[in-house]
């Protein structure tokens, strides 16, 4: 399967915003659950947000609810993660992930996601 490619990371100060993007290398997102994860500086892989392709319902890590928003532009085949009011604890390597095509139910466990990107780094300073 084609890999996923993230962009949009950077170094920002606390309180600022970033929008991450994720595109498939072949330009096509097959209908499936899509998610964002992050690898923290301590090496922990955390679920951040997920989107059900068909129902468009979403799920978020409690600490990012109200600040982050996951969305998809189906016409452009781009997955986004809009991050507002960033905090130092949001620092990490953010990766997008996709379930097998046709599997749209969202879950927080990383093992069910088959396609991954290499990540884009987000660093939030005080």
């Amino acid at each position: 399967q084609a890999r996923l490619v993230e962009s949009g990371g950077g170094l920002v100060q606390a309180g600022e915003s970033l929008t991450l993007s994720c595109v498939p290398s072949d330009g096509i997102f097959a209908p499936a659950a899509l998610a964002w994860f992050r690898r923290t500086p301590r090496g922990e892989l955390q679920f951040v947000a997920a989107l059900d392709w068909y129902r468009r319902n979403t799920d978020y890590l409690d600490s990012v609810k109200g600040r982050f928003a996951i969305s998809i532009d189906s016409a452009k085949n781009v997955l986004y993660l809009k991050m507002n009011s960033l905090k130092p604890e949001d620092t990490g390597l953010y990766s997008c992930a996709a379930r097998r095509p046709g599997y749209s139910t969202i879950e927080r466990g990383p093992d069910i996601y088959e396609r991954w990107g290499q990540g884009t780094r987000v660093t939030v300073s005080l």
Side-chain angles (χ1 to χ4, degrees), residues 40-116:
T40 70
R42 290 192 292 181
E44 178 188 5
L45 183 63
Q46 285 184 334
F47 165 84
V48 176
L51 172 73
D52 180 313
W53 181 279
Y54 293 109
R55 299 178 186 84
R56 296 302 164 94
N57 55 293
T58 57
D59 186 24
Y60 294 95
L61 180 68
D62 284 349
S63 64
V64 308
K65 283 181 181 177
R67 300 189 297 121
F68 289 15
I70 185 172
S71 64
I72 186 165
D73 185 327
S74 301
K76 296 181 179 179
N77 281 284
V78 181
L79 177 70
Y80 297 103
L81 184 68
K82 173 68 173 175
M83 306 185 295
N84 296 321
S85 303
L86 282 161
K87 303 176 181 180
E89 51 263 44
D90 295 319
T91 293
L93 182 67
Y94 283 71
S95 297
C96 58
R99 289 195 68 178
R100 181 179 301 181
Y103 289 77
S104 64
T105 303
I106 56 178
E107 294 189 26
R108 296 189 173 196
D111 293 344
I112 66 165
Y113 294 90
E114 296 192 347
R115 294 172 67 181
W116 290 81

Side-chain angles (χ1 to χ4, degrees), residues 3-7 21-25 36 79 96 116-119:
R3 61 187 180 94
L4 304 178
V5 181
E6 304 91 342
S7 62
S21 300
C22 170
V23 296
S25 60
W36 287 95
L79 177 70
C96 58
W116 290 81
Q118 292 194 326

